[in-house]
Amino acid sequence: MQNRLATIGDVAGKHFDFVVIGGGTAGLTLASRLTENPRVSVVVLEAGDAHFEDSKILTPDGFMRQLRQPEYDWAFWTVPQKHSGDKVISWSRGKGLGGSSAMNFLMWTTPQREDIDGFEKLGNTGWKWEMLATYMKKIERSPSGLGLIPVGYAHTPSGAELPFQQSMNANGIPIASVDDTTCGSWMSPSSIEPETGCRVDATTAYLLPALQRPNLHVLTGAYVTKLLTSDGTRLTAMGAEFVYNSLLHNVYVDKEIILSAGAVKSPQILELSGIGNCKLLRSLGIPVKMDLPAVGGSLRDKVTVSIVLEMKEGHDIFSFNLMANPEFHSRLNEVYPNATGKFSSVVSGMTFIPTQALPEGTQASIFSTAETFVQNAKQHGLYTKVHELLMDHLGNSKVPDFEVIVTPFVPGAPNPKKAYIALVICLSHPFSSGDTHIQSADPQIAPLIDPCVFECAIDLNILVEAFKFTRKVIQTAPFCDLVSKEIRPGPEVQSDNEIKAAIQGNIATIWHSSGTVSMMPKEIGGVVDTKLKVYGTTNVRVVDMSIVPLPIGTHTQCMLISISHWYEL
């Protein structure tokens, strides 16, 4: 497969109808779709490597060996978060063909109806649930679909999922099948090839079947530094500048440039190209081509905190750390005699919960914090259309406000012979937003990422109550019968202030960052229009998570691939 990739001689100085910047989830999906037309030529420029036949990618739990490794992970850090004790947060993004689809949790979840309908409410006519749902069904390869993504249930769950769901049910959260709401406990399907048990990412699903097409050229190791644009009131992209083997090269475009570099890299490339906030660009000596102040703004990601549990022996609870023990595999064969492919851990148990399911006193506390936020934001002119939608979500009992994920992945497990489960509590719709901007005209210097975690107190308030509720579930049968002890943050953390401190000191994100090149009307902070074209340009489009204008409560892989199909040239 490696010999099917383009060489620098195939690309440098050449013209293509479409130049796709970024060979990740959206970029490869688009390249595959575009080259179905043999009269269209496409080049994909990917900064990372190909990673063909790489076990760290193909094995579903291989992402644990990718994290913070520069060959696979952009391994960004945020700036210190002032509302979390100046903590810096690891901000992983997939690097290489497949992008973050090559290192995600493989969960295949459809988005909440209200989240997608929110696109249209923000001024994006036509972007609503019914249209996207059509594409979601088309891309799945399942009993009801003929698409390229095999969707099914993992054969090797940890064993903790069903007992946890039963304990959730005992606390008023139903075990549910997804209909018009994601609320409740359920098992997530995964994007796994059923015959082999291997991960299916954008490379295996979209690139490999198309790689033999003569009109598709994919160059890895090509780090894009900026777009080459004409001058004028409306910019036209002439091509892109990129670094390959430490040398600068150009590639030229006859129709369109499509940025698919993600919520951090796409705004970085725009700013380096002179498209962004004119004050920032001038301060860095970058000629201003198009003043678009919203580039890099409206950054949101769903923050998480984990409760780590040591599980009792004798209950067939399996976790990732046990896979390193050869003696353990014989036990796996006994418990999962029909499993195919190499054994690996997966994440499949999830519960989505609205605040209305919490005790009445808890609800009152959350809504009081929300009302205070609204009053302050309106007083200072900071209340936005996105905030208005998030307030609607908070008041809707069918829209989840937090998620609890049962995961068998606990880095640095204290005892390699014991099973550990982390209950990852995730804020579904953060009110806090930040930004990501270049800090230098040097394209090799990483941008500054500031999500402004907990700038809106309501986010921390919801997480505290979610933490307390999850702890109550842990202490409920049958799940409590499986738990030996709480490892982190530890049973000594009890009061609200102690819980707040534990959350602030151990905060992470679920790496669903979005909004930095938002699809919205320009006057309310948009960067791209409903055709995903950058305002003020004739032929620059963005298709990746950066265009998503509000946080999506579920996991984003299914939605992003659907958007990549929905996108019309």
Side-chain angles (χ1 to χ4, degrees), residues 197-211:
C198 289
R199 170 190 294 273
V200 174
D201 64 356
T203 297
T204 51
Y206 287 96
L207 175 61
L208 296 187
L211 198 52

Side-chain angles (χ1 to χ4, degrees), residues 515-568:
T516 52
V517 186
S518 282
M519 176 178 60
M520 288 194 297
K522 183 179 178 182
E523 61 270 17
I524 64 169
V527 177
V528 299
D529 62 20
T530 57
K531 300 296 184 181
L532 307 185
K533 187 174 290 184
V534 176
Y535 288 117
T537 71
T538 64
N539 66 339
V540 179
R541 301 201 202 218
V542 183
V543 188
D544 57 30
M545 280 297 296
S546 69
I547 65 101
V548 176
L550 75 168
I552 302 300
T554 54
H555 300 262
T556 56
Q557 178 180 213
C558 174
M559 181 200 67
L560 181 55
I561 294 177
S562 300
I563 287 175
S564 303
H565 278 263
W566 187 358
Y567 161 76
E568 296 293 343

Side-chain angles (χ1 to χ4, degrees), residues 104-109 188-190 347-348 350 405 555 557:
N104 64 11
F105 281 5
L106 298 97
M107 288 184 277
W108 191 263
T109 59
S188 169
S190 302
V347 177
S348 55
M350 53 184 59
I405 309 169
H555 300 262
Q557 178 180 213

Side-chain angles (χ1 to χ4, degrees), residues 288-503:
V288 178
K289 296 296 188 75
M290 182 62 61
D291 182 20
L292 271 181
V295 171
S298 300
L299 171 64
R300 280 183 170 87
D301 207 336
K302 297 181 288 185
V303 290
T304 72
V305 67
S306 298
I307 301 176
V308 178
L309 306 170
E310 182 182 294
M311 309 304 285
K312 292 178 181 176
E313 296 181 12
H315 293 280
D316 292 333
I317 304 299
F318 306 131
S319 57
F320 173 77
N321 60 288
L322 294 174
M323 295 292 178
N325 183 357
E327 299 174 3
F328 178 69
H329 287 254
S330 62
R331 183 68 184 133
L332 277 173
N333 282 308
E334 292 176 20
V335 177
Y336 299 119
N338 298 318
T340 57
K342 183 180 178 181
F343 279 118
S344 59
S345 304
V346 293
V347 177
S348 55
M350 53 184 59
T351 304
F352 291 90
I353 304 171
T355 55
Q356 287 80 2
L358 301 178
E360 287 187 12
T362 296
Q363 294 178 40
S365 172
I366 290 172
F367 286 118
S368 175
T369 307
E371 289 171 355
T372 300
F373 161 74
V374 170
Q375 292 170 2
N376 291 339
K378 286 183 175 178
Q379 181 180 351
H380 294 93
L382 300 175
Y383 191 69
T384 67
K385 187 70 174 177
V386 174
H387 288 133
E388 183 180 317
L389 287 175
L390 296 180
M391 287 297 296
D392 289 344
H393 288 354
L394 191 62
N396 189 337
S397 62
K398 285 191 172 184
V399 178
D401 299 303
F402 65 94
E403 173 188 7
V404 183
I405 309 169
V406 180
T407 171
F409 302 104
V410 177
N415 187 331
K417 294 187 177 181
K418 291 185 178 292
Y420 296 88
I421 294 295
L423 300 177
V424 179
I425 305 166
C426 176
L427 184 69
S428 298
H429 296 104
F431 279 72
S432 304
S433 67
D435 53 51
T436 176
H437 292 294
I438 56 174
Q439 57 179 317
S440 168
D442 183 348
Q444 300 293 342
I445 295 178
L448 296 174
I449 301 172
D450 186 2
C452 296
V453 169
F454 300 142
E455 185 172 63
C456 295
I458 186 172
D459 293 341
L460 182 56
N461 186 269
I462 292 173
L463 270 185
V464 168
E465 299 302 336
F467 184 98
K468 292 181 335 190
F469 180 78
T470 303
R471 234 192 208 162
K472 181 183 176 186
V473 174
I474 293 169
Q475 296 163 358
T476 303
F479 189 72
C480 66
D481 298 328
L482 310 180
V483 178
S484 173
K485 57 184 176 181
E486 181 181 313
I487 301 297
R488 292 195 295 268
E492 69 279 1
V493 175
Q494 289 294 327
S495 70
D496 281 12
N497 285 337
E498 288 170 338
I499 292 171
K500 282 184 180 180
I503 292 172

